[in-house]
Amino acid sequence: QHTSVSPTVYSPGTKVDGTPFDTCEPGEPTPSPTASPTETPPLVMIHEIQGTKSNDGNGGDISPLEGQLVMVEAIVVGAFLGADKLNGFFLQEEDDDVDNDPRSSEGIFVYYPVPVDGVNALNEGDKVLLTGKVAEYYSQTQISNVIMIHVISSNNPLPTPAAIDFQRGNYGVFSTPGGYVADLERFEGMSVRFESNSDMVVNEIYNFVRFGELVLTSGMVPIQFSQSNFPSKSGYDFYLRSIASRQVTLDDGSTTQNPDLSKYPGLDGIFDTENAIRIGDRPDSDLIGCLGYSFSQYRVHPTGSFLFEREDHRPELAKSKKAKAKKDEFNIVS
């Protein structure tokens, strides 16, 4: 009989009063957990967390400090707190603290679903000191399990956004379950800038209404491979790589499904048939945002303001013409 006699738990071999039978020994009491000594984690730079190229097979880079508790001091470059957003914020090293290694990122996403130390709001320009654990979440390097956070100062100059230029840069691609993706690992977690002369254009709107996502491509809207090429397996693969190498997803900084599209960046608070985003539209100025990685895509979550310019206007209604129509019916069952 299993019997609990506070404060000790006895397993089989005891009587109801907790005393052992003649041929049995009492069970060992469950040991109480002992608190481990508190240690101050090392203060590290974000580029030390991000590391350099070490592909994990899914397009991401494994942090050399994965699983370790670290302390970081950096500037908030994007705040997306709350379950209706990203449940976190982006940190980036100040310009004076970068390592000048083009292979390592100076930014990182901090998963922060529950306020710690009374810090329940953050703004761009806040300098924070925090302690958390380095983690890989579906190939995105991030800091999670934050146990300490302190806002040192506010309204600090923002770190310089990293320039991504698909027209001049050759970033390469990697393969994911969903296809090829431009290899922007070196910018993961950072504030990035796509300059207006990079000629970004809306290429895909499939997930716009449901997830608030657009796909932007540098240059012209791609056409189907077979429209100007003979069928070729290797040629088609090269074509897909070429498109992916100059393509990125524009997200709305939210995980909400079916969002209020009037609040979507670039729409100026209005979403109707007149200004609905169409394939071929372009941002009217530099596109600035924080670069994250999720669902096998690099995603820009805008922090700067811009509007979409209409490139392909809807055609005028066709003039009605008189036409004759004939209707025939056939019984094809019996």
Side-chain angles (χ1 to χ4, degrees), residues 240-255:
L240 293 178
R241 286 174 173 270
S242 175
I243 295 174
S245 68
R246 50 190 173 90
Q247 190 166 267
V248 72
T249 297
L250 179 67
D251 211 326
D252 59 353
S254 170
T255 58

Side-chain angles (χ1 to χ4, degrees), residues 156-187:
N156 294 282
L158 294 178
T160 303
I164 299 179
D165 188 348
F166 285 132
Q167 293 286 342
R168 298 176 180 83
N170 182 14
Y171 303 109
V173 298
F174 60 85
S175 180
T176 73
Y180 294 118
V181 175
D183 190 355
L184 303 178
E185 175 68 27
R186 72 197 76 176
F187 306 110

